[in-house]
Amino acid sequence: MPSAWAGPLPEAAPPSDVAVYQLPTGTYETRAVFAFKGGSFREMLNFAATSVLVQHPKGDLLIDAGFGSQVASHMRALPRMERAPHQLTRTVSEQLKASGYDHSRLRGVLVTHCHWDHVSGLDDLQLPIWINDKELQYAGSSKGGRVFREVSASRTLHRYQLKAAPYLGFSSSFDVYDDGSVVVVAAGGHTNGSVIVFVTLPTGKRYAFIGDLTWQLDAIRRRAERPLMMRMLADTDPRLVREDMLRMIALADVMHIVPAHDLSAYDEIPMLLS
């Protein structure tokens, strides 16, 4: 196991009303044996498809979009071996409407990467899509970007730039609000332009929304990366994924790590709709 992070944490000065909420949109089934090394073939896992709302006085952001109303169609666009039983609950759009949320507050949807289960909900959201150049190039040319190309066709793309500014061991970063409350770092390897989003609350509580760097918390707790077959099929560069996974393991004692598809990782994050 890597040594625990011993250095100082980056400075952050989040305004007093910065907050995070989870917006669960559904789940799909995957066998544990495919999710992490040592997983059981018999154990079925419900993979989360959850969006996160970050509220900030300079404008709010969604992290990923979860399932949309056309998720069944999006899943049929996948190769047959990738399709899985799924359940759609409420889309992000429906949850925002039901809560009385003021849509004018939203600046856009920042995608951790462009795979279908993170972008399906863009179909129902008339919002700019925040994406970096590497991920946009991947989305435009890969099989994994097929659904993204469909749902983003009529959307504005906000292409943010990651700078050579080290952050918690990652070589490049983007400070969304220039106050350290939301910092995006490059974590390519699952896809070319995958990112991790670090969020710091006024209480000092820190979250790391790691997308698909790992699918489950078991990978962090037990250093149990994806099985070899899944690394070869799912990752563009398994070596980079492993390096960044070790960085996150070292940070596990100083922040709450949220793999996108681990239901339990969202437990302590309040829901927008209770």
Side-chain angles (χ1 to χ4, degrees), residues 234-250:
D235 299 331
T236 59
D237 191 331
R239 178 185 60 83
L240 290 179
V241 171
R242 185 181 301 111
E243 290 175 358
D244 288 342
M245 183 186 78
L246 293 175
R247 289 189 180 95
M248 293 312 306
I249 290 172

Side-chain angles (χ1 to χ4, degrees), residues 36-243:
F36 54 87
K37 287 173 67 174
S40 168
F41 179 82
R42 294 183 177 182
E43 182 184 3
M44 297 299 297
L45 300 175
N46 284 317
F47 267 34
T50 297
S51 176
V52 172
L53 174 66
V54 180
Q55 291 190 334
H56 193 286
K58 291 184 179 179
D60 301 347
L61 272 179
L62 291 165
I63 303 173
D64 288 335
F67 287 169
S69 58
Q70 301 303 310
V71 66
S73 172
H74 296 158
M75 187 168 286
R76 286 195 296 271
L78 302 175
R80 186 171 297 275
M81 66 174 294
E82 296 181 22
R83 301 174 195 173
H86 70 281
Q87 179 181 12
L88 171 66
T89 52
R90 286 188 175 186
T91 67
V92 169
S93 178
E94 291 170 338
Q95 292 180 61
L96 293 174
K97 183 176 180 180
S99 70
Y101 178 82
D102 179 3
H103 278 69
S104 67
R105 292 178 53 90
L106 271 173
R107 296 175 64 177
V109 183
L110 194 158
V111 294
T112 59
H113 62 291
C114 68
H115 285 162
W116 71 276
D117 44 348
H118 297 256
V119 303
S120 172
L122 294 174
D123 224 11
D124 305 294
L125 296 165
Q126 295 293 328
L127 292 170
I129 301 168
W130 288 44
I131 191 168
N132 62 71
D133 287 342
K134 283 188 176 181
E135 188 62 10
L136 190 58
Q137 291 168 5
Y138 172 87
S141 60
S142 74
K143 293 180 181 178
R146 179 175 177 179
V147 171
F148 177 85
R149 293 193 291 273
E150 175 185 333
V151 299
S152 66
S154 61
R155 303 294 186 270
T156 300
L157 297 179
H158 178 87
R159 298 166 70 163
Y160 64 87
Q161 301 296 321
L162 292 148
K163 301 178 181 179
Y167 188 91
L168 290 172
F170 295 87
S171 61
S172 58
S173 65
F174 166 54
D175 190 335
V176 175
Y177 299 104
D178 293 320
D179 59 13
S181 60
V182 180
V183 178
V184 184
V185 303
H190 180 58
T191 62
N192 295 350
S194 292
V195 298
I196 292 170
V197 185
F198 292 95
V199 178
T200 302
L201 299 184
T203 60
K205 177 74 175 180
R206 293 179 184 247
Y207 291 95
F209 297 97
I210 66 173
D212 283 6
L213 178 68
T214 71
W215 288 327
Q216 297 289 302
L217 278 170
D218 291 84
I220 302 297
R221 293 168 178 159
R222 297 166 43 200
R223 193 181 169 183
E225 59 192 336
R226 282 184 268 275
L228 177 60
M229 180 182 71
M230 298 310 298
R231 296 202 300 273
M232 302 307 295
L233 291 174
D235 299 331
T236 59
D237 191 331
R239 178 185 60 83
L240 290 179
V241 171
R242 185 181 301 111
E243 290 175 358

